[in-house]
Amino acid sequence: MSKNRAKLEIKGISDNIGLARVTVASFAAQLDFTLSEIEEIKVATSEAVSNAIIHGYGEGEGSIQITLELQGEELIIIVEDYGVGIEDIEQACEPDYTTADRMGLGLVFIDSFMDQVDIESQLEQGTKIKMVKSPEKSKKKAK
Amino acid sequence: MEMEMERVETNLIVRISGDLDLHTVPALRKQIEARLDREVGIKNLILNLKGVDFVDSAGIGFIIGRYKRISKHGGQLRVVNIKESINKVFKLSGVLKIADIFSDEAEALQAV
């Protein structure tokens, strides 16, 4: 049973999205993920961090905290901002929830690529997205 | 992120290298839109993604946005060299339904 934990705090600007996804991918590589699964984790991370930048801080600036955990065969990624929060999480999860040029696909990708997604948000407090994924290989072994 | 554009008759070929995300897309969009605004007679857009290893929803939004502009005037969007690593987001987003996919630029140009 592997256990590990890391934290990354970044300024909520788009320059740091690449850093966030490469860091998460590197951490995730401790488990037996395929390259395709690592790509999915990178997309989900990119979406969560982009959401925090756009919806959390808009034109303003703030920090984003990314917590990474390995619990057994599970990778847990928590992306947290301290911005304006999301008023209606259910609406934000709809595929046609459109902001700027991102076509509302961000949360659809997260939902498709991760095994489990939980979003908590409070107005003027911020948003926390928790994403969990296990390697397919380990799921097959467990069966 | 690097981009080069080449005009071949009524086609604008755009070759992109790097990641397509929230950070890189605004500059790409600006350059392509400026070229489309400036030049008369561009009908089709050929996006060569040979050097693109990563695309997220911002990148997909960028591609759909250019498709909307080109298709308004009867043009087509053709995408060349979609790597395996980015194919899944293309499938999931529905881009494969609106864009014609080719394995190289010559093939995409011949399809006119």
Side-chain angles (χ1 to χ4, degrees):
Chain A
M1 294 280 278
S2 49
K3 263 193 173 178
N4 197 1
R5 187 181 167 90
K7 259 187 189 180
L8 173 69
E9 189 170 326
I10 56 172
K11 190 175 176 182
I13 53 174
S14 66
D15 306 61
N16 287 328
I17 298 173
L19 170 72
R21 63 173 174 260
V22 169
T23 305
V24 173
S26 170
F27 188 86
Q30 294 172 84
L31 291 181
D32 202 7
F33 286 114
T34 62
L35 282 178
S36 168
E37 288 170 326
I38 293 283
E39 286 304 322
E40 292 176 350
I41 291 165
K42 281 167 76 177
V43 172
T45 302
S46 202
E47 301 300 352
V49 174
S50 298
N51 274 344
I53 294 168
I54 297 170
H55 301 300
Y57 299 117
E59 297 296 310
E61 279 183 7
S63 69
I64 297 169
Q65 189 162 289
I66 301 160
T67 307
L68 304 167
E69 279 182 37
L70 291 185
Q71 283 186 11
E73 290 299 324
E74 274 187 349
L75 167 72
I76 301 165
I77 307 165
I78 298 167
V79 178
E80 214 168 343
D81 71 68
Y82 311 96
V84 297
I86 301 169
E87 196 169 357
D88 187 340
I89 292 175
E90 275 187 34
Q91 187 203 7
C93 291
E94 294 294 321
D96 58 356
Y97 179 75
T98 301
T99 51
D101 219 354
R102 294 178 66 233
M103 314 305 289
L105 276 171
L107 289 170
V108 174
F109 284 166
I110 292 177
D111 209 35
S112 304
F113 292 157
M114 303 301 283
D115 298 337
Q116 191 189 319
V117 181
D118 294 304
I119 305 175
E120 288 171 29
S121 191
Q122 277 193 309
L123 284 180
E124 306 308 325
Q125 305 262 320
T127 301
K128 184 173 164 179
I129 302 183
K130 181 182 175 186
M131 306 178 284
V132 182
K133 189 174 178 76
S134 302
E136 278 303 315
K137 284 179 198 166
S138 68
K139 287 181 205 162
K140 280 177 191 161
K141 271 185 206 165
K143 278 178 190 171
Chain B
M1 166 60 59
E2 283 175 25
M3 180 177 74
E4 61 170 44
M5 291 187 270
E6 185 187 347
R7 172 97 181 249
V8 179
E9 296 167 0
T10 58
N11 305 288
L12 181 65
I13 302 172
V14 180
R15 302 181 186 101
I16 303 172
S17 299
D19 296 344
L20 287 183
D21 65 10
L22 186 68
H23 184 57
T24 58
V25 154
L28 289 177
R29 186 195 300 123
K30 203 174 163 186
Q31 287 181 65
I32 295 177
E33 289 297 300
R35 180 93 184 229
L36 292 173
D37 288 342
R38 203 170 57 231
E39 288 187 30
V40 181
I42 296 174
K43 193 178 174 199
N44 305 307
L45 188 63
I46 298 174
L47 284 182
N48 187 341
L49 304 182
K50 193 177 180 183
V52 175
D53 291 310
F54 179 86
V55 177
D56 67 8
S57 65
I60 294 294
F62 157 75
I63 292 170
I64 294 175
R66 306 301 67 74
Y67 163 76
K68 282 184 178 170
R69 173 162 184 171
I70 285 287
S71 63
K72 251 186 211 168
H73 305 287
Q76 289 177 1
L77 172 68
R78 302 188 180 120
V79 185
V80 173
N81 285 318
I82 299 179
K83 286 187 184 175
E84 188 58 39
S85 59
I86 60 173
N87 197 38
K88 212 172 270 181
V89 296
F90 275 82
K91 268 189 197 162
L92 201 59
S93 64
V95 167
L96 298 182
K97 290 179 189 159
I98 59 167
D100 296 316
I101 311 300
F102 297 93
S103 53
D104 59 49
E105 285 180 14
E107 212 179 88
L109 284 166
Q110 276 170 12
V112 179

